[in-house]
Amino acid sequence: MRNQPTILHLDMDAFYASAEQAAKPSLRGKAVVVGGIGPRGVVATASYEARRFGVRSAMPTAQARRLAPNAAYLVPRFGFYREISDRVMSMLRELSPLVEPLSLDEAFVDLEAGGTARNEASARAVGTRLRADIRAATGLTGSVGLAASKMVAKIASEEAKPNGLLLVRAGTERALLAPMAVRVLPGVGPATGDHLRRAGISTVGELAEAGEDELVRLLGKAHGAGLYAMALARDERPVVAERETKSVSVEDTYDVDIHDRTRVRLEVQRLAERCVRRLRDSGHSGRTVVLKVRRYDFSTLTRSETLRGPTDDPRVVREAAGRLLESVDTTGGVRLLGVGVSGLADYTQEDLFAQAAGEHPLEVPADPETDPGAEGPQDPASPARASSRWAAGHDVQHAVHGPGWVQGSGVGRVTVRFETPDSPPGRVRTFAVDDPDLTPSDPVPLVADGYLSPDGSGSSPGPAAHSPTSGPGEATSSP
């Protein structure tokens, strides 16, 4: 391990929910839940206001609604979040060539490799400046952990939340970890945590005191030895700039079980096309097509077929997924379907099955989930189809009233609140779902031309001044 805290971990605070609050003045300071809003949806992120009611990520949305019935429930806008993420990640890459993104909202940075920090003082200065720059550029807050290892830096950023910075001095790691619950360590899930608790081990300090031999006896050689090393704060993993993509997949959970076999086939085709679109966007092709089916009784079946070479042809993937579906009994209903491609490569073998001489490559059709104007399998003139264009939280533009966002839709009507990130809370109006003056639109940028100063003033009066939560600021761990 290093002898200086030059590994930085950035974790944006309640990222999706905070982005929605920044974009929607009427939601600032209020409970916001982002995720699937149907009966089988799952919470992606909850604002800190919603967390006070017990709402957490990965919780079923139905449970979240019982805990926080008055919260705003919004469908994710991943394109919007990705734009913000790209801006933040570019800022991190200015600090070092070694940036390891873990998701849209968190990443490790090796400050030493970039020459931007060599000791505690310079590392703290970089972390402080980074938080201010992110606030100015996006209007959002992030928490920073600084340590001599990746594991401790990540734990430190979690301890610093929200909107804080925690630097862990080299040599003080064990003192920081000792009183923490064992679940704080990577790889300790509910099952392992329960197993350790039954053995009288609840904290990281107790884990270290148990010794390697006892942990190997309880958990097996690899897991036990690994946990013992983590309890001693040993982590030699380097920051890796590029993480190899092993597979690309998409899946959908349905609000109502699908019983019709034809509908199941259509859904598999649609998922295959979405999967290929992601595959192409990542610059890969793949050899193995995987089908995932979760049935009405929660039993999950996985089938795969390995092709003769890598492909990114939607026709090939769709037909392979269709063949895999024929081997699956969907009697009784299907609640989830997924299609994936693994065995990735950076090149393509065309026309693997010589399907037809002279055939032209099949264009991937627009996806109703990512293109609000795309037509799905429903009748495009049906009220259900028209209503599905207006997802809660998504952006719209009205010919008279300007930009706004969807508060909700149903029974042929759509309710819109007209406001932008730098406006006061806006008025609400209701329209017919087929109103020709109302159209889906791109998001309004959180911060217009120029940067905000850390106190929210500057060339653009963006949402930084309205941040709902003030964090603990900066701290340093000590024995």
Side-chain angles (χ1 to χ4, degrees):
M1 278 179 52
R2 306 179 182 199
N3 56 14
Q4 293 293 336
T6 54
I7 293 180
L8 179 149
H9 181 260
L10 170 71
D11 195 351
M12 299 295 287
D13 298 322
F15 181 47
Y16 300 165
S18 293
E20 296 296 349
Q21 289 177 316
K24 301 172 171 64
S26 59
L27 297 183
R28 292 171 189 162
K30 298 181 180 179
V32 175
V33 179
V34 179
I37 62 175
R40 292 176 178 170
V42 174
V43 175
T45 306
S47 69
Y48 288 101
E49 295 85 355
R51 295 180 190 187
R52 297 191 187 109
F53 295 96
V55 180
R56 295 288 184 271
S57 299
M59 172 184 288
T61 302
Q63 182 181 354
R65 288 186 185 275
R66 291 192 294 270
L67 294 171
N70 297 320
Y73 289 84
L74 307 178
V75 176
R77 298 185 293 163
F78 288 112
F80 175 56
Y81 310 144
R82 191 170 290 109
E83 288 180 4
I84 301 172
S85 174
D86 288 346
R87 191 164 190 179
V88 171
M89 295 301 168
S90 69
M91 296 168 70
L92 298 183
R93 292 187 178 95
E94 292 175 1
L95 300 177
S96 173
L98 292 184
V99 176
E100 183 178 342
L102 302 181
S103 62
L104 289 178
D105 62 335
E106 65 173 314
F108 289 109
V109 184
D110 188 333
L111 300 179
E112 186 176 317
T116 50
R118 299 188 182 281
N119 54 37
E120 180 182 322
S122 57
R124 182 188 298 280
V126 169
T128 301
R129 185 174 66 251
L130 174 65
R131 292 174 56 231
D133 288 347
I134 289 173
R135 179 80 172 266
T138 69
L140 304 180
T141 63
S143 296
V144 167
L146 291 156
S149 70
K150 289 169 68 174
M151 181 188 76
V152 178
K154 183 172 173 62
I155 292 172
S157 69
E158 184 64 29
E159 289 295 300
K161 282 186 169 294
N163 191 22
L165 180 150
L166 176 62
L167 182 145
V168 182
R169 291 193 176 107
T172 69
E173 296 90 351
R174 289 189 64 180
L176 172 74
L177 295 177
M180 294 183 176
V182 292
R183 289 288 302 277
V184 75
L185 298 178
V188 181
T192 301
D194 289 344
H195 190 47
L196 290 171
R197 188 170 59 254
R198 288 194 294 271
I201 300 172
S202 299
T203 67
V204 176
E206 292 168 347
L207 200 65
E209 291 174 3
E212 184 173 2
D213 291 343
E214 176 64 11
L215 296 179
V216 167
R217 184 186 68 80
L218 288 171
L219 304 172
K221 185 173 183 179
H223 199 188
L227 278 187
Y228 181 66
M230 286 190 285
L232 299 180
R234 296 174 184 165
D235 180 15
E236 302 292 343
R237 294 174 301 156
V239 176
V240 180
E242 296 295 334
R243 309 184 90 203
E244 182 181 359
T245 302
K246 297 182 179 179
S247 65
V248 174
S249 64
V250 297
E251 61 182 45
D252 277 345
T253 300
Y254 303 99
D255 293 343
V256 178
D257 290 345
I258 302 175
H259 293 84
D260 182 66
R261 185 74 175 183
T262 301
R263 170 79 189 286
V264 173
R265 291 193 190 97
L266 288 173
E267 290 295 320
V268 168
Q269 290 178 11
R270 184 177 64 84
L271 289 166
E273 289 158 356
R274 281 175 55 196
C275 183
V276 168
R277 192 158 40 247
R278 288 193 182 181
L279 193 68
R280 287 178 170 180
D281 288 346
S282 69
H284 290 94
S285 57
R287 296 187 67 232
T288 302
V289 178
V290 181
L291 175 71
K292 178 180 177 181
V293 179
R294 180 166 297 150
R295 299 188 289 190
Y296 69 98
D297 59 356
F298 288 90
S299 61
T300 302
L301 303 177
T302 303
R303 300 287 185 269
S304 64
E305 176 181 316
T306 299
L307 310 174
R308 293 189 294 182
T311 185
D312 65 354
D313 187 332
R315 181 186 297 105
V316 173
V317 176
R318 190 174 62 239
E319 291 182 357
R323 287 192 297 272
L324 294 170
L325 179 62
E326 295 306 314
S327 66
V328 177
D329 179 13
T330 59
T331 303
V334 171
R335 61 185 292 120
L336 177 147
L337 290 168
V339 174
V341 176
S342 60
L344 302 187
D346 294 326
Y347 62 92
T348 305
Q349 179 175 323
E350 300 291 350
D351 297 326
L352 295 176
F353 301 107
Q355 292 163 319
E359 279 189 333
H360 297 289
L362 179 66
E363 292 296 326
V364 180
D367 179 10
E369 292 203 358
T370 56
D371 180 357
E375 302 300 346
Q378 299 174 339
D379 176 1
S382 70
R385 177 64 207 150
S387 180
S388 69
R389 297 180 67 201
W390 311 116
H394 282 215
D395 299 275
V396 295
Q397 179 79 24
H398 192 272
V400 175
H401 303 291
W405 57 278
V406 176
Q407 283 206 164
S409 64
V411 294
R413 313 292 287 176
V414 55
T415 301
V416 178
R417 186 181 288 273
F418 291 97
E419 60 186 6
T420 60
D422 59 355
S423 76
R427 294 186 62 182
V428 175
R429 298 180 184 273
T430 300
F431 308 90
V433 294
D434 57 356
D435 189 321
D437 289 337
L438 188 68
T439 57
S441 70
D442 293 330
V444 177
L446 291 184
V447 177
D449 296 336
Y451 279 68
L452 296 172
S453 65
D455 64 357
S457 63
S459 60
S460 175
H466 306 280
S467 180
T469 309
S470 297
E474 300 182 16
T476 303
S477 76
S478 58

